[in-house]
Amino acid sequence: MFVLRNGLVHSETGLLHEHGVLIDQGRITAIRPLSAFSPDLPAYDLQGQHLSAGFIDLQLNGCGGVMFNAAQTQETLAVMQEANLKSGTTSFLPTLITSPDADMRCAIEATRDYMQAHPTEVLGLHLEGPYTNVIRKGIHPADQIRRPTEEMIDYLCQNALWIAKITLAPEQNDLDHIRRLSEAGILVAIGHSAANYEQAIAGFNAGIRFATHLYNAMTPTLNGREPGIVGAIYDRQDIYAGIIVDGHHVHPANVRLAHRILGERLCLVTDATAPAGAPEGFDHFDFCGTTVFYRHGQCVDKNGTLGGSALTMIEGVQNLVQQVGIPLEEALRMASLYPARAMGRANDLGSIAEGKVANLVIFDDAFNVTATLVHGTYQEHR
């Protein structure tokens, strides 16, 4: 049992000054004025720094110099988590892009084993593909994009406890498959899709409730006659969306527009790859057989196609505040509470509130992460 003292507490009810947060057995057990806590209690002095719920990244291909596609193992997930903590991410969805069935099965097994040992770190696997549209493939390998078999749909539904999210193109899939995946408890997302408005809405009606990297790899609003996927998302009240705020994937004006329309359904994601949090000098990596170069803050192949990002969540929060103009309180919610809600985990994660798991981040005014807590375990990152 210990108290976090003298921090700017970004709680579920708003910013609190001169309050302490009591942590006991991995959970937040009290949020009170400092005077309410005995001076004899063990404490960490935050020295005026910010205390927020830990960030939840719903799309993470790799970081810390590794890629989940390259090795679907618990060891890879451990390296990713270690890199995550240095940028304030305490929970994430490891993301496997378009792959053979054998790799998908390995990824599910590795995720299952890691989740059982670390239940609030990895919240489940994100399968980004292979059931997408080659027209909007981005850097995904075209020869692996395919339609699902009945056997694989059965297998995915049977393993829904370990699969948090599946990104697919509704126009390339049987709507009954979408319905079955959703009913099994998997968050089905639209992405890497060339659907028109009607096809997107049909997918939403079948159970799609998320949009993967809004604006990227999806049909835009072309004109007044064709709203596209983006218009379909904006026309609904039940779709969450992830957005990459690295200054390369989406223009700040479009981030502001998305936030104005979606509000509490817009989640910051990184779509990060190996260079995020990697040692200095890391300049290229393999992404499913394609060499991706890390240059001038971007991850691109030889043709200039974006291959994920090098963004961290704390950098995304900083960009939301400094480039987009979103208040810090809201930027933090986009990185923590809204992702938790999208995943149905807001009962125990995503905000500083009594009874919730103590997954927390501490950072200074310059957006440097100085410490994190995962299940109440305090770790410095100076």
Side-chain angles (χ1 to χ4, degrees), residues 240-301:
Y240 281 82
I243 195 162
I244 308 166
V245 189
D246 63 350
H248 303 295
H249 280 77
V250 183
H251 192 284
N254 274 332
V255 179
R256 284 192 293 273
L257 175 62
H259 182 259
R260 191 173 299 129
I261 295 171
L262 298 179
E264 297 182 3
R265 290 178 286 123
L266 188 64
C267 306
L268 175 68
V269 299
T270 65
D271 195 20
T273 52
E280 191 173 347
F282 193 99
D283 60 2
H284 71 280
F285 58 98
D286 180 85
F287 205 171
C288 297
T290 297
T291 299
V292 177
F293 303 93
Y294 176 48
R295 296 171 176 165
H296 311 297
Q298 295 187 75
C299 298
V300 294
D301 68 7

Side-chain angles (χ1 to χ4, degrees), residues 136-271:
R136 294 278 177 171
K137 71 180 183 64
I139 206 164
H140 289 226
D143 61 348
Q144 289 294 337
I145 293 176
R146 58 196 183 274
R147 292 174 182 263
T149 63
E150 287 291 332
E151 179 187 4
M152 275 305 289
I153 291 294
D154 288 343
Y155 174 76
L156 296 173
C157 290
Q158 290 163 8
N159 286 275
L161 275 177
W162 322 116
I163 304 169
K165 181 155 65 96
I166 292 179
T167 295
L168 51 73
E171 75 278 13
Q172 298 293 103
N173 286 268
D174 187 321
L175 293 179
D176 185 60
H177 286 170
I178 295 173
R179 194 170 292 110
R180 286 170 57 192
L181 292 168
S182 176
E183 290 174 353
I186 299 170
L187 181 62
V188 185
I190 190 169
H192 290 280
S193 170
N196 59 28
Y197 173 86
E198 287 75 20
Q199 290 168 323
I201 292 296
F204 298 163
N205 290 340
I208 290 174
R209 288 296 178 270
F210 198 88
T212 292
H213 44 48
L214 182 65
Y215 295 115
N216 296 109
M218 63 178 60
T219 49
T221 298
L222 293 173
N223 51 47
R225 296 176 298 282
E226 178 44 59
I229 293 172
V230 173
I233 294 165
Y234 287 170
D235 200 31
R236 293 284 289 236
Q237 303 298 314
D238 56 355
I239 308 298
Y240 281 82
I243 195 162
I244 308 166
V245 189
D246 63 350
H248 303 295
H249 280 77
V250 183
H251 192 284
N254 274 332
V255 179
R256 284 192 293 273
L257 175 62
H259 182 259
R260 191 173 299 129
I261 295 171
L262 298 179
E264 297 182 3
R265 290 178 286 123
L266 188 64
C267 306
L268 175 68
V269 299
T270 65
D271 195 20

Side-chain angles (χ1 to χ4, degrees), residues 50-72:
H50 300 270
L51 176 65
S52 167
F55 306 142
I56 301 172
D57 192 349
L58 301 184
Q59 187 174 3
L60 187 65
N61 309 285
C63 58
V66 301
M67 294 290 291
F68 195 48
N69 267 83
Q72 302 92 45

Side-chain angles (χ1 to χ4, degrees), residues 117-133:
H118 311 280
T120 65
E121 295 179 14
V122 168
L123 303 184
L125 176 65
H126 173 204
L127 293 169
E128 189 182 348
Y131 313 130
T132 55
N133 193 323

